[in-house]
Amino acid sequence: MKINEFKVETWMTDHENDCKYNLTETCVSSMSLNELQEYVDEDISSTMMNMVLDYGPIIGSSRLKQAILSLYESGTEENIAIAHGAINANELVMMSLLNEGDHVISLFPSYQQMYDFPKSLGCEVSFIDLDENKNWIPTLEDFKQAMKKNTKMICLNLPNNPTGTILPLHFMKEIINLAKEYECYILCDEIYRGVNTKTGKLSPSWSDYYEKAIVTQSLSKVFSFAGLRLGWIKGPKNVIEDINYRRDYHIISSGPLNDCLGALVLENKDALLKRSLDICQKNKELLSQWLEKEPLVSCVIPEEGTVCFLKYEVDMPSHEFCEKLQKETGIFFVPGSAFGIEYHLRFGFTHEYEYVKQGLELFSKWLDQFR
């Protein structure tokens, strides 16, 4: 199986540990167990120190699955599979359902896994190009034109990485009706779901509205615990059964530590999501104010998620732009070229306000040389 270089992940690996201001981070201000303890009643230290570190519940504990189900309006434990982060969850879904010759539809730009992994399985992939002039929002006609007789799956990442695109419920239902006509699956990586700065509520999940929808998420991004590497899949019972068989070849279990801590995080999701919402909202307001004073940069600021896609007006390829910026200032961005879109930078709303403010101020000073 041949697969393309995962450009975003490669860039992050090569650059994120050598910067002063990480303005591209996707995970909301990561937390320690001491910080988590402030949100929970259970004595985390005592629980961890007395835990027997065997494999733990192979397919995940009932406690963890019930905590996951609290994020959705429907489903039972039979609709949940546990994975090693959302990236493993996506992989398990696609490997379980897609075959050579199947047709897949993906948005572009988007998280590269959602289109290059199907390609590696021998699938044909059609893109729906998101247009910045249309606020990165596709149309139903875009989906209709992309559909084929052999369309097996629509692969989405919403809120989108890097644009922050979300789709309103009425539009989701229109896409669902189209998917029903072709009897195809909808896979949506919902890892950024949960931080809607307009409503302050969890946005709708595809899995609550379509019997062939499969969604993935993890404790990274909006829950601030990327280091636990705990993700999950919610989908039809028969699909979950197939995935659980396949898991034995990939991860066996997620381990009792992650299982227990994952349950604790999700049992206290309301407080943790409010924390994430507050951090992202302050930084969205900060970015909006900064853009008003910065003529060389523009952006469609999304209502949900932790990232957006800055456009800069400098005649320099984004790879070179980011290398030069980081070398001279310590400011770290992922270049648009990692997503196949030039003259853009992925920006994250995830760090504390003062840190982001200082980084943006330094970025403006650096941009003075191009005015």
Side-chain angles (χ1 to χ4, degrees):
M1 182 178 78
K2 185 177 181 180
I3 196 165
N4 292 326
E5 176 193 356
F6 206 145
K7 294 181 180 178
V8 171
E9 299 302 336
T10 298
W11 185 273
M12 295 287 289
T13 299
D14 291 344
H15 293 82
E16 67 180 330
N17 294 319
D18 184 29
C19 67
K20 183 176 181 181
Y21 293 102
N22 183 342
L23 298 186
T24 200
E25 176 60 57
T26 59
C27 300
V28 179
S29 193
S30 295
M31 299 175 67
S32 67
L33 292 184
N34 279 331
E35 289 173 306
L36 177 62
Q37 185 66 75
E38 298 175 9
Y39 292 86
V40 305
D41 294 328
E42 183 173 332
D43 186 339
I44 296 175
S45 177
S46 177
T47 298
M48 297 298 102
M49 294 301 291
N50 288 287
M51 183 176 291
V52 176
L53 295 181
D54 55 12
Y55 281 103
I58 297 300
I59 60 172
S61 68
S62 177
R63 178 185 180 184
L64 174 60
K65 291 183 178 181
Q66 286 296 321
I68 290 169
L69 286 168
S70 70
L71 297 168
Y72 306 97
E73 296 178 4
S74 63
T76 69
E77 291 183 28
E78 294 179 327
N79 299 116
I80 302 295
I82 307 302
H84 191 68
I87 197 164
N88 175 236
N90 293 331
E91 175 191 40
L92 288 170
V93 172
M94 291 186 276
M95 291 188 73
S96 298
L97 295 177
L98 296 177
N99 297 293
E100 185 175 355
D102 286 338
H103 178 243
V104 171
I105 295 170
S106 180
L107 302 179
F108 189 87
S110 186
Y111 194 55
Q112 187 176 339
Q113 185 191 28
M114 306 310 286
Y115 51 86
D116 268 352
F117 195 82
K119 286 182 181 179
S120 76
L121 299 175
C123 296
E124 175 192 2
V125 177
S126 295
F127 291 112
I128 294 174
D129 293 325
L130 301 179
D131 186 343
E132 187 168 16
N133 294 321
K134 298 178 181 178
N135 293 328
W136 303 113
I137 304 294
T139 67
L140 181 61
E141 189 60 31
D142 291 330
F143 283 90
K144 288 181 177 179
Q145 291 180 3
M147 299 295 286
K148 296 185 177 182
K149 290 182 179 180
N150 64 329
T151 300
K152 183 73 170 288
M153 183 179 289
I154 300 172
C155 288
L156 305 172
N157 165 220
L158 299 170
N160 179 269
N161 176 12
T163 66
T165 299
I166 59 172
L167 303 181
L169 181 57
H170 69 84
F171 189 15
M172 290 170 59
K173 291 181 177 179
E174 290 177 340
I175 296 172
I176 286 170
N177 288 334
L178 181 63
K180 287 179 178 179
E181 292 180 26
Y182 290 80
E183 298 182 347
C184 72
Y185 292 101
I186 295 176
L187 166 63
C188 188
D189 179 339
E190 296 182 338
I191 196 167
Y192 295 96
R193 174 177 177 251
V195 188
N196 190 302
T197 52
K198 184 176 182 180
T199 67
K201 300 178 181 178
L202 278 173
S203 58
S205 171
W206 293 84
S207 65
D208 288 325
Y209 295 91
Y210 180 38
E211 62 275 10
K212 295 189 74 171
I214 305 157
V215 299
T216 60
Q217 197 169 355
S218 84
L219 297 182
S220 307
K221 317 307 180 188
V222 300
F223 291 107
S224 303
F225 282 94
L228 289 180
R229 306 309 305 134
L230 187 76
W232 59 88
I233 304 156
K234 179 171 180 274
K237 178 183 176 182
N238 65 311
V239 173
I240 296 301
E241 289 175 349
D242 288 345
I243 288 168
N244 280 335
Y245 282 123
R246 184 173 289 277
R247 285 175 73 258
D248 290 337
Y249 286 91
H250 292 265
I251 64 169
I252 303 181
S253 74
S254 59
L257 277 172
N258 286 355
D259 192 292
C260 178
L261 289 171
L264 280 173
V265 169
L266 293 174
E267 286 166 355
N268 295 275
K269 66 181 185 305
D270 291 341
L272 293 174
L273 286 175
K274 183 181 183 303
R275 171 185 179 270
S276 293
L277 178 67
D278 290 344
I279 290 172
C280 288
Q281 178 60 30
K282 289 178 182 177
N283 286 325
K284 287 179 182 182
E285 292 172 357
L286 172 62
L287 178 64
S288 179
Q289 295 167 4
W290 180 81
L291 288 170
E292 291 178 0
K293 301 175 182 178
E294 182 46 69
L296 294 181
V297 185
S298 61
C299 181
V300 178
I301 299 180
E303 294 176 0
E304 190 166 349
T306 70
V307 298
C308 64
F309 218 22
L310 303 181
K311 181 180 181 181
Y312 64 87
E313 304 293 338
V314 176
D315 187 17
M316 185 185 300
S318 58
H319 180 283
E320 181 183 345
F321 185 95
C322 288
E323 290 275 15
K324 180 177 173 63
L325 174 64
Q326 186 164 350
K327 181 179 180 180
E328 296 178 0
T329 69
I331 296 173
F332 169 46
F333 282 114
V334 170
S337 59
F339 296 94
I341 304 291
E342 270 300 354
Y343 305 107
H344 283 76
L345 313 166
R346 187 183 68 188
F347 179 87
F349 301 108
T350 55
H351 281 290
E352 297 299 333
Y353 179 90
E354 284 302 322
Y355 177 96
V356 178
K357 183 173 182 290
Q358 291 170 15
L360 286 175
E361 289 173 350
L362 181 59
F363 187 25
S364 278
K365 291 180 180 178
W366 184 81
L367 285 170
D368 284 343
Q369 64 187 294
F370 303 106
R371 301 188 202 286

